[in-house]
Amino acid sequence: MKSLQAALIGFGALGVFAIALLDAAFIPLPGGPDVVVMALAHHNHAMAPAYVAAAIAGSTLGSLLLYFIARKGGQAALRRFSPQKRARVEDLINRYDVWALLLAAVLPPPFPFKIFVLSAGAFRMRLWRFVAAMVIGRSVRFGLEGWMAVSYGEQAADIFKQHY
């Protein structure tokens, strides 16, 4: 964790934003913004809110890109997922709407988050509801990670490693 921490300090909040955007939109990165937020928040407690905010903004914008791609592509955007998985997510979004997406935004990897984002676009969830769910869900997730890093330091990293 120390070498990762040292490598990422130079990027600061802008690096967190870029990593979160890429992770949410295109390239799933191992640990992605979670590890970066925790490492940087642990290293510089005063900047923890900026790192959390950058992760929320980057992840929300990256998810918006996928949402609009799926909105344009419709059901075709979901073809790479099994029919059973698509049906399950469609049922969850139809039944629980924003709550399903909000919970998906909070849960850590390896939870299949992208299928929820793509489904929200393909099933034409209202944009303001999508953005609200993303911002609230990601705020909870990254906020907890930032708080854990500041409060528990290296122990938070160990917990993350054990359960990730």
Side-chain angles (χ1 to χ4, degrees), residues 92-129:
L92 288 171
I93 286 182
N94 287 336
R95 289 174 68 195
Y96 302 109
D97 191 46
V98 133
W99 292 106
L101 187 62
L102 194 145
L103 183 61
V106 171
L107 294 175
F111 185 80
F113 173 66
K114 284 185 177 41
I115 189 172
F116 280 83
V117 173
L118 290 167
S119 295
F123 305 140
R124 301 198 172 270
M125 178 185 278
R126 289 190 164 180
L127 181 62
W128 72 270
R129 294 174 69 82

Side-chain angles (χ1 to χ4, degrees), residues 13 16 37 40-41 44-57 142-143 146-147 150:
V16 173
V37 166
L40 292 176
N44 187 347
H45 294 186
M47 287 295 294
Y51 301 140
V52 168
I56 294 165
F142 294 126
W147 173 77
V150 169

Side-chain angles (χ1 to χ4, degrees), residues 126-140:
R126 289 190 164 180
L127 181 62
W128 72 270
R129 294 174 69 82
F130 176 82
V131 171
M134 288 303 306
V135 169
I136 294 167
R138 292 308 201 190
S139 294
V140 170

Side-chain angles (χ1 to χ4, degrees), residues 3-89:
S3 63
L4 173 65
Q5 184 179 21
L8 297 173
I9 289 169
F11 293 109
L14 185 58
V16 173
F17 175 84
I19 290 168
L21 187 134
L22 289 172
D23 182 66
F26 306 111
I27 308 163
L29 305 169
D34 303 294
V35 170
V36 177
V37 166
M38 291 180 78
L40 292 176
H42 172 63
H43 180 73
N44 187 347
H45 294 186
M47 287 295 294
Y51 301 140
V52 168
I56 294 165
S59 186
T60 300
L61 288 175
S63 295
L64 272 170
L65 287 171
L66 275 185
Y67 170 88
F68 285 120
I69 289 168
R71 193 167 178 128
K72 186 108 173 138
Q75 293 285 338
L78 297 170
R79 286 198 184 137
R80 69 178 207 178
F81 299 100
S82 71
Q84 297 85 3
K85 207 176 248 189
R86 287 193 313 248
R88 177 76 175 132
V89 171

